[in-house]
Amino acid sequence: MTVDANAKTSGSSTAADDTPYAIEVQHIVKKYGDFIAVDDVSFNVKEGEIFGLLGPNGAGKSTLIRMMTTLIPITSGTAWVAGHDVAKEPNAARRMIGVIPQALTSDLDLTVEENLNIYAKLYDVPAKERKRSIDELLGLVDLTKWRDAQTKTLSGGMRRRLEIARGLVHHPKIFFLDEPTTGLDPVSRVAVWEMLGNIKSHRQLTILITTHYMDEADRLCDRIAIVDHGKLVALDSPMALKASVPGSNVIEAQFEDPPEDWEQRLHTLDEVTSVQHEGAGMYRVLTGNGSRTTTELVEMAVEAGVEVKSLSVQNTTLDDVFVHYTGRQLRDELQKAYAFVMPQSPGLRP
Ligand SMILES: Nc1ncnc2c1ncn2[C@@H]1O[C@H](COP(=O)(O)OP(=O)(O)OP(=O)(O)O)[C@@H](O)[C@H]1O
Ligand SMILES: [Mg+2]
């Protein structure tokens, strides 16, 4: 992390490679009564970066976005966007940012174009520029054919794309998106991310995005901050985060009626750094040597007379990074997210 709280006197700091910071957050705190929703979080986002905020339900992702986008007051600490202190110059900050909130907010009774027009007027985009910008954005989000359709006739994925276009009508420099793909089917999710990539190649944008989907974040984010219980627990590029977890392969194996001490026995295999029991005889084993551990695991099962029902070996994923730093799983299905998993290394969590 590149935070130097003492050096900060204006909103024009740069990263070590001289890229200016688009967002600078320093020691930011949000309290609701006695409850601390965001607890002393600091990070910087470079101009042009796609920066991901990852964390389970209630981690504080939306609260962070709301503070950075002037929607709620900051309890303490500072946030600068495009060089403006959001607490002291909220209007200047607002002109530089586009925001897609977590809930869908386009007006269902208006057409696609009307929804975009209202926003463009709200942001004082001149009439001539309005039409040009809306035409361009409809093309970028692939909704040109639907410009006269009533918004209520659109699918969830199309509405998300409309909201992405709407957030960009006033040519913001920084785009905040709060879970733009949650609830979408896999095909629509890919379409939304492709659109964001497409938009970024057409416009100079810094993107800060929250998501529950680790695979998306892995592919698309330059850097990722993991938040949990209001605290920042890890921040780096997806590759560096994965490298920071002990073990380079994940073996997922399902056994028929394994004995009670199976988890402990899996732990004793060579190079194994952690074992999670996921229920129904399924185990997730992190290892520094996938092939050797797989061989030993199969031998151990044969010796113990335990049938191996399925077996797969993969590289470490961001899911493993999340478990490592938070001690819990974060999967697409959030009902699984709170399965208790003992982390091998206590990491940064108390
Ligand atoms: N207005 C409020 N009053 C009191 N508590 C709040 C308020 N808004 C949020 N919180 C609490 O702050 C914590 C962080 O909430 P936040 O919405 O930022 O989480 P999140 O990471 O965005 O979660 P999700 O993935 O579910 O969207 C939660 O425990 C939430 O209940
Ligand atoms: Mg949220």
Side-chain angles (χ1 to χ4, degrees):
M1 266 176 58
T2 45
V3 175
D4 182 355
N6 298 326
K8 183 78 178 68
T9 52
S10 75
S12 58
S13 310
T14 58
D17 63 3
D18 271 349
T19 313
Y21 288 132
I23 303 171
E24 300 179 76
V25 171
Q26 292 185 351
H27 302 293
I28 202 168
V29 173
K30 181 68 191 179
K31 286 189 187 165
Y32 291 109
D34 289 340
F35 178 72
I36 304 175
V38 171
D39 190 0
D40 194 11
V41 168
S42 302
F43 62 86
N44 297 324
V45 179
K46 287 191 270 187
E47 264 183 23
E49 257 191 317
I50 301 188
F51 188 88
L53 270 182
L54 290 192
N57 290 130
K61 305 180 297 295
S62 296
T63 306
L64 268 166
I65 286 199
R66 286 190 203 115
M67 287 193 284
M68 287 184 271
T69 56
T70 78
L71 295 175
I72 54 170
I74 297 168
T75 305
S76 65
T78 50
W80 299 71
V81 294
H84 301 287
D85 182 325
V86 299
K88 293 187 182 143
E89 309 165 78
N91 289 332
R94 274 181 213 129
R95 273 194 292 277
M96 308 303 276
I97 62 178
V99 188
I100 307 296
Q102 192 164 345
L104 290 166
T105 53
S106 42
D107 191 320
L108 294 176
D109 290 324
L110 298 182
T111 67
V112 166
E113 185 167 10
E114 284 165 349
N115 263 301
L116 295 177
N117 240 320
I118 283 191
Y119 256 65
K121 283 183 192 164
L122 223 69
Y123 277 100
D124 288 332
V125 180
K128 241 198 251 155
E129 167 60 17
R130 228 180 283 159
K131 165 130 184 39
R132 206 198 56 72
S133 180
I134 289 174
D135 285 350
E136 180 209 15
L137 285 166
L138 283 173
L140 285 176
V141 299
D142 206 11
L143 285 177
T144 305
K145 274 196 307 207
W146 297 83
R147 68 190 305 150
D148 296 320
Q150 276 208 318
T151 302
K152 64 177 146 213
T153 64
L154 303 184
S155 69
M158 290 157 87
R159 271 184 74 188
R160 269 298 179 208
R161 276 149 46 197
L162 164 60
E163 303 212 336
I164 287 170
R166 195 187 65 183
L168 294 169
V169 281
H170 57 299
H171 285 265
K173 282 198 170 342
I174 308 169
F175 201 21
F176 292 86
L177 299 105
D178 198 355
E179 294 192 32
T181 55
T182 296
L184 300 185
D185 64 73
V187 176
S188 308
R189 279 169 48 196
V190 171
V192 164
W193 279 101
E194 275 177 1
M195 249 138 234
L196 286 174
N198 193 14
I199 288 165
K200 202 165 167 290
S201 67
H202 278 77
R203 290 184 169 201
Q204 284 214 314
L205 262 187
T206 304
I207 296 180
L208 187 145
I209 188 161
T210 77
T211 178
H212 288 130
Y213 299 110
M214 293 286 185
D215 53 335
E216 290 180 346
D218 195 356
R219 260 182 297 127
L220 292 143
C221 295
D222 298 309
R223 285 188 308 145
I224 288 171
I226 297 180
V227 282
D228 191 29
H229 297 302
K231 284 189 192 297
L232 190 114
V233 294
L235 192 166
D236 219 322
S237 66
M239 204 192 280
L241 283 174
K242 283 184 278 185
S244 73
V245 176
S248 57
N249 291 118
V250 182
I251 302 169
E252 283 203 310
Q254 190 171 23
F255 303 91
E256 185 76 43
D257 288 332
E260 273 195 1
D261 65 345
W262 202 237
E263 187 171 334
Q264 288 89 314
R265 283 160 75 172
L266 289 171
H267 246 301
T268 63
L269 300 178
D270 240 10
E271 306 238 17
V272 168
T273 54
S274 91
V275 180
Q276 302 150 34
H277 184 198
E278 303 195 322
M282 181 67 93
Y283 294 82
R284 196 171 167 87
V285 180
L286 245 69
T287 169
N289 188 330
S291 52
R292 186 183 321 161
T293 305
T294 305
T295 309
E296 287 191 4
L297 179 150
V298 172
E299 282 171 3
M300 185 173 89
V302 170
E303 255 173 50
V306 174
E307 188 195 335
V308 182
K309 288 169 74 183
S310 69
L311 186 79
S312 75
V313 186
Q314 300 135 32
N315 292 329
T316 315
T317 67
L318 277 183
D319 284 305
D320 304 300
V321 173
F322 189 82
V323 171
H324 176 70
Y325 285 109
T326 69
R328 294 198 309 279
Q329 293 178 326
L330 177 61
R331 294 289 170 85
D332 292 358
E333 319 81 25
L334 281 164
Q335 66 270 30
K336 285 180 74 181
Y338 292 95
F340 180 76
V341 179
M342 182 65 87
Q344 176 64 16
S345 150
L348 297 159
R349 297 267 310 129

